[in-house]
Amino acid sequence: MTTLSRPPLVGAGRNRVEGPLKVSGRAPYPNDFSYPDMAHAVVVGSTVGAGRISDIDPVEAERAPGVICVLSHLNAGRLERAPATPLGVSPPAPLQEDVIHHYGQHVALVVAETFEEATEAAHLVRVSYTPGETVLELDDPRAEHRNNPWGRDAQRGDVAQALESAEAVLDQTYLTCDNTNNPMGPLTTVARWEGDTLLVNNSTQWASLEQTSLAAAFDLPQDSVNVMAPYVGGGFGAGLRVWPHVVLAALAARRTGRPVKLALTRPQMFTACGHRPKGRQRVRIGATRDGRLVAIDHEALTATAIDDDNFEPTATVSAAAYACPHVSTRDTQARLNIPVPNSMRGPGAATGNFALECAIDELAFELGMDPLDLRLRNDATTHPQLGLPWSSRALKECLVHGAELFGWSRRTPEPRSMRQGDMLIGYGLAAVGYPWFRARCGARATVRRDGTAYVCSAGTEIGNGAYTVFVQLSAELLGLDVEQVTFGLGDSSMPVAPQTGGSGLTSSVGSAVYEACRRLIGDFLDLVAEDTDSPLRGCAIDDVEVGAGGLRRRNDPAQAESYADILMRHGLLELTAEGESIPAQAQELGMAPAGAFGAKYVEVHVDRDLGRLRVARAVSVIDGGRILNEKTAVSQIIGGTVGGIGMALFEETVSDAGSGRIANATLGDYIVPVNADIPDMEVAFVGAPDPANPIGTKGIGEIGLVGIAPAVANAVFHATGRRIRSLPITLDKLL
């Protein structure tokens, strides 16, 4: 079967197959699900940042109109903490103790006939506290520090000696702030029980994990839980964990014997489902005068919650970014009384890349070099840490092609040297790499007698174009028209799939689809192996190719037969096969599996008198392996660029210094970019299909965001001569 022997780099830019459903309002999002006799639940949040609950009085709330019950740690009953996940431990089970770890922590749940009645009654739950000491800052001496929390610290060579002997040394500190995932649709859970079976519609990016976690929480067999999320209205990482409110919705449904809907409010989204944690990074770089890197020392301190963990490897980005003989990267987490941080688009890499790429730019200025030349001179042609060749790496091509598209040669090197009227013009760039990720995954493929196919896997669609690219891929692998294929996603009863996050879904699910389709073709050949009426009799899988709704001999295409004819002749309505993809490790492959790479170029305009800043242009050139759908891929990079501009210029979750209360927990106060803030954008793809997986793809969900913030900061320096080392870059920092 040679369908993918020579795949094109960029696939057809087809419209989204689910587009008509979405624009007509027929795509079922979690908040759209409603069931007979459904009740509504609203969480009650703590109004202190640390301490203990001394008393809960639910009486007034219980007497309010429409209230069915009020749950707290006094009557919730025992719930088990879910098992650890590939991203770390699961959140603690809710309503299990009287200890308060952060402002906004769930302390009670009100269930009522309507959302409005539940909301009103939630204000009537009287909670008294014995306040404790609130630890909120990274430098607070009371904060517990966790060194190397994920075992990913890297070391090669003798960094201290190399820095001491380097001809040029840069030593700077960079600050990033809390950002909050803000998908348009607040996370919603609808839970119901049918006997001992739990059925959940939920805003999740990981249906398979949610099934496992809920089964553990309620001590159920795994197949007694079904999590359904056919469409999720964005996530950006917010849906990567089984948050306490999900467990509470299921608990309320079991307690009341009725379906229960729990929809978080926008302010609750700031305390209940994660955020990008603030951090401080120190980067030291040593180099020769001609720009050869000799040492990189990168240490990062980021925030995490008192009683939870967050996978946020930040300094790790420097381990394999450049060819450098002496490198040390170290991550530390400080435990604080804050809502649980969680992955936000480009987790760890977005913040780590900001520090590294700003430092590289600063070093270029100190050396009097073009920042592009410095990066090209130190390109890592082999994996610096593993010593293996990359499965693919077109970073140099990204940098060179991006410079051509952007017009980098027009840049004059001196800061404040480019002007347009009252505007200072700045050019900035950043080189980007996002870590490789692929996970064990399953898929199921069925071909029916009418010539159509149904393929499925439990991965979720969060607006990333998953339905479309998997339909395209399945059609190609089976030799069908796109219109003949339907793809199923977002249901835990489907073959297990990893999270939609980490830029690994397409390669993981796509590789499983490849295996399922290959097995299915093998099963068709088994059917006709001794069939004297079949032109495919005796063929092995490598003897055939797909096309025109069936199979044909590779060396004699006229000898062909449709799937429908084979099924009809053998009295079958359909044929189904399952496939599983298990990623190989680097040593097995003999090469280092590569994530995506990219180059980001931006132009900024800064009012020389007022400090008003605008991103005027952005060019992204991406090595994303094989691009299955150019249209949806470009959309991913554009969306990531918008998020990167938000990180660079606007987004900051502000907390009260005493209690940890989020002070700007609305979309009126937490500023995200709008259309007027977004520049002209150009996206291009370079490179080749990646051989580390059978379909040649890499993930591009995060690479669009990573690198935008440092490119903006570097452009601001070029425009103004002011080096801003803390995000966001706001007007006050430029005056």
Side-chain angles (χ1 to χ4, degrees), residues 322-370:
Y322 290 102
C324 181
H326 307 280
V327 173
S328 176
T329 68
R330 301 177 303 286
D331 273 293
T332 301
Q333 286 187 314
R335 289 199 178 277
L336 306 177
N337 291 110
I338 59 173
V340 177
N342 189 47
S343 297
M344 184 171 170
R345 198 170 191 176
T351 47
N353 179 268
F354 167 69
L356 175 64
E357 286 301 298
C358 284
I360 290 290
D361 206 75
E362 293 200 56
L363 178 65
F365 182 75
E366 293 298 324
L367 294 173
M369 288 187 66
D370 185 320

Side-chain angles (χ1 to χ4, degrees), residues 322 371-379 395-396 399-400:
Y322 290 102
L372 172 60
D373 291 341
L374 180 61
R375 289 170 170 87
L376 291 172
R377 184 165 299 190
N378 293 281
D379 183 45
L395 179 57
K396 182 173 288 187
L399 288 164
V400 171

Side-chain angles (χ1 to χ4, degrees), residues 49-73:
R52 288 186 175 272
I53 300 170
S54 56
D55 183 56
I56 288 185
D57 181 1
V59 173
E60 189 177 356
E62 290 171 336
R63 292 173 178 170
V67 171
I68 300 167
C69 68
V70 178
L71 301 176
S72 70
H73 73 282

Side-chain angles (χ1 to χ4, degrees), residues 242-291:
V242 184
W243 296 108
H245 73 270
V246 179
V247 180
L248 288 178
L251 175 64
R254 186 170 69 173
R255 188 66 60 90
T256 61
R258 298 169 59 175
V260 170
K261 176 181 286 188
L262 196 167
L264 295 176
T265 64
R266 181 60 60 180
Q268 289 168 349
M269 291 284 290
F270 283 75
T271 59
C273 52
H275 64 279
R276 191 195 309 280
K278 61 186 174 184
R280 182 180 67 236
Q281 301 174 70
R282 183 187 181 192
V283 179
R284 294 185 294 164
I285 304 180
T288 62
R289 277 290 163 196
D290 64 353

